[in-house]
Amino acid sequence: MIKALAEVTGYQDGWLALACQQQTSCGSCQSQSQCGTGIVSKALPGKVNHVKVRAPKALPVGTLVEIGLAEATLVRSALIVYLVPLVMLMVGALLGQFVFAELASGGEAGVIATSVGFGTLGVLIARYLAARVGTPEQQQPQLLRVMGEPVSELAVINAARQDSD
């Protein structure tokens, strides 16, 4: 299960509205001060994702909770989203090379057009299949536990920045 911390922003009809800071892997390697991606990730604020989670009772706004998403559903969706368009692109390139180019004597333009067309078809197929991977309950994050009240705003600000010398 992939876990993340989130902050409650509201409650309505059995659903908690949460704000979750997107986590990146930048900042964990030794070359983060020389890496362009690491420098950019430090300079820009993190992206906040807004999700809804089914909850048995209302929680006060600002409460920290832990949410989780099943790994199997995420891995299956990623495989579909990345592999189906790539395979379709290759099928289009092969068909364009060995069928279209031979019949129409179109050259590379026909091969490229066929490849792009099949790649686009692959993206549409992947969108259709990714929406149907698993049940809706498996695709929805789950509330794992309630962490408690948030730390005061001043402490959060001071903990997020480095102190100067």
Side-chain angles (χ1 to χ4, degrees), residues 80-154:
I80 288 171
V81 168
Y82 287 110
L83 290 182
V84 170
L86 181 63
V87 168
M88 291 298 289
L89 185 81
M90 286 188 214
V91 167
L94 290 173
L95 285 176
Q97 180 67 36
F98 295 113
V99 176
F100 185 73
E102 296 294 327
L103 294 176
S105 300
E108 286 184 18
V111 174
I112 292 170
T114 307
S115 181
V116 168
F118 271 77
T120 304
L121 179 63
V123 169
L124 295 174
I125 292 170
R127 287 180 68 184
Y128 175 79
L129 293 175
R132 284 148 185 83
V133 172
T135 63
E137 292 82 27
Q138 291 173 332
Q139 294 177 354
Q140 186 68 30
Q142 301 171 1
L143 179 64
L144 299 178
R145 64 182 170 157
V146 178
M147 305 297 281
E149 296 297 320
V151 183
S152 73
E153 188 69 28
L154 182 61

Side-chain angles (χ1 to χ4, degrees), residues 2 7 14 43 51 63 109 135 144 152 161:
I2 298 171
E7 183 178 348
V51 295
T63 303
T135 63
L144 299 178
S152 73
R161 297 194 177 125

